[in-house]
Amino acid sequence: MKKTYQIEVDCAACAAKMEEAAKKVEGVEDASIAFMTQKMSVTFAEGTDEKKVMKAVEKACKKVEPDCEIEY
């Protein structure tokens, strides 16, 4: 399942680092961040709990940029 979320990120370099961090989260098959549109697309593994995975994604992203916000 693929979903798109609104994300607040300050720079393109941070967005790239956050994208890599999100891809490492268990339950995420793929992730991409479009810095210009402030959107994050996440493809979830089959049978995963979307909310639980997104909490882990947000935690991973906050390690890169502590003030980032993801609307999920």
Side-chain angles (χ1 to χ4, degrees):
M1 168 177 55
K2 185 175 185 175
K3 287 208 163 184
T4 303
Y5 303 93
Q6 190 69 35
I7 186 168
E8 187 178 310
V9 58
D10 295 333
C11 70
C14 291
K17 290 178 185 175
M18 290 166 63
E19 188 175 292
E20 289 305 311
K23 287 179 180 181
K24 294 177 182 176
V25 172
E26 187 175 337
V28 174
E29 286 185 351
D30 193 30
S32 64
I33 297 176
F35 172 69
M36 294 301 289
T37 60
Q38 300 280 292
K39 301 251 186 237
M40 174 184 228
S41 294
V42 179
T43 304
F44 297 95
E46 189 77 27
T48 56
D49 180 351
E50 173 196 341
K51 294 267 188 204
K52 186 176 176 183
V53 172
M54 285 308 297
K55 282 186 180 194
V57 167
E58 186 169 46
K59 186 176 179 180
C61 288
K62 283 186 180 281
K63 287 181 181 177
V64 175
E65 188 175 300
D67 65 340
C68 87
E69 295 293 329
I70 303 172
E71 294 179 26
Y72 59 92

